Amino acid sequence: MDKIKDLNDQESSRPFIGTTYSEAIFKNATHLVGFCFDGTTSYRPGARFGPDAIKDASFGLETYSPYLDRDIEDYNIIDTGNLPIYPSKWKITNDYFHANTKELDLKKDKIKFLVMGGEHSISYGPMRLALDNYEDMVLLHFDAHTDLRDGYLEEKYSHASIMRRMWDHMSDKNELIQYGVRSGTKEEFEFMKKHNTLYTSLDSLCDKIASIDAKRPIYMTLDLDFFDPAFMPGTGTPEAGGENFHSFIRIIKILKEKNFIGADIVELAPMIDSTGNSNAFASKIVRETLLAMQD
Ligand code: MN
Ligand code: MN
């Protein structure tokens, strides 16, 4: 493979099953990156341990997905390890990611990222990177929460405001599609109504995604509290009334046929669920997403 540069100089835990471990960024490859930050968490912390838990739990999975009929081992998927961690300093790690990726030409060199959190504020870097490279990008936001506050608890880039921060950078060329949202302030729900971003049924969401032009770039930010706490109790801010694995598979099968250019998966807090079931669940979601992202 054609190496471009090193992203990282951290020692890593075991890489995700079926992937190749390297700290470098390559052309024609998908990169799995851990962003272990939970410093703006407002309720139950611990998402900083998410990436390693997902990688560990991947060893209970197969590399083959029967849903997508694809195998991790058949593609160039690089586990770059985790970014340097500054526990309460979001900006340092975000700036580090930005500094090391801003020169990349994702489209020309066919570089993709799937970044694992950490809490939802970490998605800002990878979402900005995708938007900088794909100006007509569609942004899919799957979450129990709107994350549209204009800052929270004196933090502008809080996990509770990160979609609002992205909205600041989006234009008429982009589209924000939100699904799974079942918690937010009245103002946030009015915001979604005004801008027509919220889909309230799986059928309408799937019809919408299916209608997107096959060439148009699509990015997915997935907060794992999108899923019902019955399936995903290991998350900082659980919210009853969520989705199940099969609705996700229905969505991801549509994305497989699209120009799926990047993703992040956030908010697994492994210590909250001592059974480890949440880790296994999240790990399977990461596998399906990595595979759907392949061309
Ligand atoms: Mn969120
Ligand atoms: Mn959430």
Side-chain angles (χ1 to χ4, degrees):
M1 273 184 290
D2 209 349
K3 176 174 159 178
I4 297 180
K5 65 174 298 188
D6 285 322
L7 174 66
N8 201 0
D9 57 1
Q10 301 283 300
E11 290 293 313
S12 177
S13 58
R14 268 201 306 191
F16 195 90
I17 194 165
T19 66
T20 304
Y21 178 72
S22 170
E23 288 140 11
I25 297 169
F26 296 87
K27 292 182 181 177
N28 300 305
T30 301
H31 304 80
L32 187 63
V33 181
F35 194 151
C36 306
F37 175 80
D38 59 9
T40 80
T41 303
S42 46
Y43 185 31
R44 307 187 296 181
R48 72 179 65 177
F49 302 108
D52 286 343
I54 286 172
K55 287 183 258 189
D56 279 347
S58 73
F59 285 84
L61 301 175
E62 302 290 354
T63 56
Y64 174 72
S65 161
Y67 311 99
L68 301 180
D69 189 26
R70 285 181 176 174
D71 196 308
I72 298 271
E73 290 179 338
D74 293 337
Y75 301 97
N76 292 334
I77 303 178
I78 310 296
D79 186 330
T80 65
N82 300 331
L83 296 172
I85 303 161
Y86 297 84
S88 62
K89 299 214 169 11
W90 177 85
K91 199 171 179 308
I92 296 178
T93 312
N94 189 68
D95 288 351
Y96 176 92
F97 181 76
H98 179 66
N100 282 282
T101 53
K102 67 180 179 193
E103 315 268 289
L104 300 175
D105 188 333
L106 302 190
K107 201 189 290 183
K108 180 169 130 290
D109 291 332
K110 295 191 162 61
I111 300 166
K112 294 186 179 185
F113 287 97
L114 194 170
V115 180
M116 299 181 289
E119 51 153 78
H120 213 160
S121 65
I122 72 99
S123 308
Y124 183 75
M127 290 192 292
R128 281 297 306 277
L129 175 68
L131 189 63
D132 289 347
N133 279 266
Y134 299 97
E135 58 169 16
D136 60 338
M137 177 177 102
V138 175
L139 181 55
L140 302 179
H141 172 220
F142 302 141
D143 197 328
H145 307 91
T146 60
D147 292 357
L148 285 168
R149 279 180 156 93
D150 196 8
Y152 190 51
L153 304 177
E154 301 196 336
E155 175 56 63
K156 202 172 168 223
Y157 292 87
S158 164
H159 69 106
S161 58
I162 209 63
M163 298 315 292
R164 185 63 172 266
R165 292 288 76 81
M166 269 311 287
W167 183 264
D168 297 342
H169 304 292
M170 292 169 71
S171 74
D172 293 348
K173 290 182 185 154
N174 307 117
E175 212 170 331
L176 173 62
I177 296 173
Q178 298 180 281
Y179 181 66
V181 175
R182 54 198 183 274
S183 173
T185 64
K186 188 160 184 271
E187 291 73 26
E188 290 178 290
F189 273 83
E190 279 166 359
F191 184 98
M192 291 191 292
K193 204 177 223 176
K194 182 177 167 205
H195 299 288
N196 205 17
T197 59
L198 182 64
Y199 287 74
T200 53
S201 81
L202 186 59
D203 285 343
S204 65
L205 174 82
C206 289
D207 288 348
K208 172 66 189 176
I209 301 175
S211 75
I212 298 171
D213 187 284
K215 290 200 190 80
R216 191 163 181 202
I218 301 177
Y219 183 98
M220 176 185 80
T221 181
L222 171 63
D223 182 329
L224 289 162
D225 63 31
F226 167 76
F227 295 104
D228 194 86
F231 310 115
M232 257 301 303
T235 188
T237 322
E239 187 76 34
E243 296 293 319
N244 63 32
F245 181 76
H246 297 290
S247 23
F248 181 76
I249 287 298
R250 194 173 147 196
I251 298 165
I252 209 82
K253 279 181 170 171
I254 303 171
L255 287 174
K256 180 191 177 195
E257 308 302 329
K258 300 289 175 184
N259 185 16
F260 188 9
I261 53 100
D264 60 75
I265 297 176
V266 299
E267 296 282 0
L268 171 68
M271 287 166 183
I272 294 173
D273 177 9
S274 59
T275 68
N277 288 344
S278 298
N279 304 352
F281 190 107
S283 199
K284 194 166 175 181
I285 296 294
V286 167
R287 182 188 73 187
E288 299 309 314
T289 305
L290 280 172
L291 289 171
M293 286 168 70
Q294 305 308 311
D295 296 323

